[in-house]
Amino acid sequence: MSDQSAAAKVVVVGSINADMRVGVERFPGPGETLAGGKATLTPGGKGANQALAAARCGVRVEMVGAVGKDPTADTALSLLSECVGLGGVVRRDILTGTAIVMVADSGENSIIVISAANGTVDSASVRAQAERVESANIVVCQGEIPSDGIAEAARRAKRFVFNLAPVIDVDSDVIRMADPLVVNEHEAALVAAALGSTTPHLEDDPDVALRELLGLGCRSVVITLGSAGCIVGGPEGFDSVAAARVEAVDTVGAGDAFVGALAAELARGRTLLKGCRFAPAVATATVTKPGAQASYPSTAEVEDIRRGEHA
């Protein structure tokens, strides 16, 4: 690890889940009981995913969040514990956050998210971790914890990276603190509307949506476009980055890998434009394997990606 990477620090304030994935022939109707197929319990949550991805990119990462005292907490923290500081993760007398994912034979999925312990990561919880948050080069949040917890993290951050997903009701001033705001094209349209935009169909034109968000006071904006890469705009300028073409196996968690990799690059002192040229490569690597955290490239694989970037 370089001296620059060793000095860089990312703190992720966000969600930690244990995800239950169940295969079903079809979705049950009201009042119907169906036999499930293969079931797996794996670590997840957007915050935890992003923390793991950033750590695999070679910077110091600490997590601020909450889990329960139930057995699934160990599953939720299993991969984070290998490379992410967990001193800011509180265990509470409540269930660990859980996502129940039903996957039908048709390929369709249905997801129920139970916030549980994640719902306790409020402003008081973040204030209790103030020293940890304020010491970070980059603070990352998502939309899976209470809005007042997000606001507290934003106010204490040296630089605030905000992946507003899912789009929840957050004070507009908090959104404008983000540098960058990271959203997909659908989220971009929703955030623009929340900030006062009346321009219709922004989800159909990401370039217009990006400039609209900047015009509404956002400091910098990254719009992720899935397999098409991303676009970025702000004081440094504008860029469009294509993603490499690969055979996708599972896209779950790819967006979180992008955010984590971007946060790591920013913490290392790279510009937003350069970070956005690197992050899609990390995200693309994840879709070639099944699962979310399980698909994230190792530190050695990330270094191979980095060498390829400079080749």
Side-chain angles (χ1 to χ4, degrees), residues 129-179:
Q129 304 294 334
E131 185 175 348
R132 181 171 277 109
V133 174
E134 291 169 358
S135 68
N137 303 90
I138 301 292
V139 174
V140 184
C141 283
Q142 324 75 37
E144 292 188 333
I145 61 171
S147 59
D148 63 327
I150 295 168
E152 189 71 27
R155 286 192 290 268
R156 294 183 180 276
K158 294 175 184 173
R159 184 170 184 177
F160 179 53
V161 174
F162 193 14
N163 175 216
L164 187 42
V167 177
I168 61 172
D169 186 12
V170 180
D171 191 281
S172 59
D173 289 342
V174 174
I175 298 173
R176 293 185 176 102
M177 290 179 191
D179 186 17

Side-chain angles (χ1 to χ4, degrees), residues 200-215:
H201 308 302
L202 285 175
E203 66 275 10
D204 297 330
D205 195 332
D207 289 297
V208 173
L210 185 146
R211 293 180 185 276
E212 185 87 354
L213 287 166
L214 292 172

Side-chain angles (χ1 to χ4, degrees), residues 257-275:
F258 178 102
V259 174
L262 175 59
E265 292 298 281
L266 295 176
R268 288 159 58 95
R270 300 196 81 185
T271 67
L272 178 58
L273 295 183
K274 288 183 177 178

Side-chain angles (χ1 to χ4, degrees), residues 195-234:
L195 292 176
S197 174
T198 57
T199 302
H201 308 302
L202 285 175
E203 66 275 10
D204 297 330
D205 195 332
D207 289 297
V208 173
L210 185 146
R211 293 180 185 276
E212 185 87 354
L213 287 166
L214 292 172
L216 290 165
C218 293
R219 297 182 184 183
S220 60
V221 178
V222 178
I223 298 181
T224 58
L225 303 172
S227 61
C230 70
I231 56 175
V232 54

Side-chain angles (χ1 to χ4, degrees), residues 173-196:
D173 289 342
V174 174
I175 298 173
R176 293 185 176 102
M177 290 179 191
D179 186 17
L181 170 71
V182 184
V183 285
N184 65 27
E185 61 265 47
H186 305 291
E187 294 155 355
L190 291 173
V191 175
L195 292 176

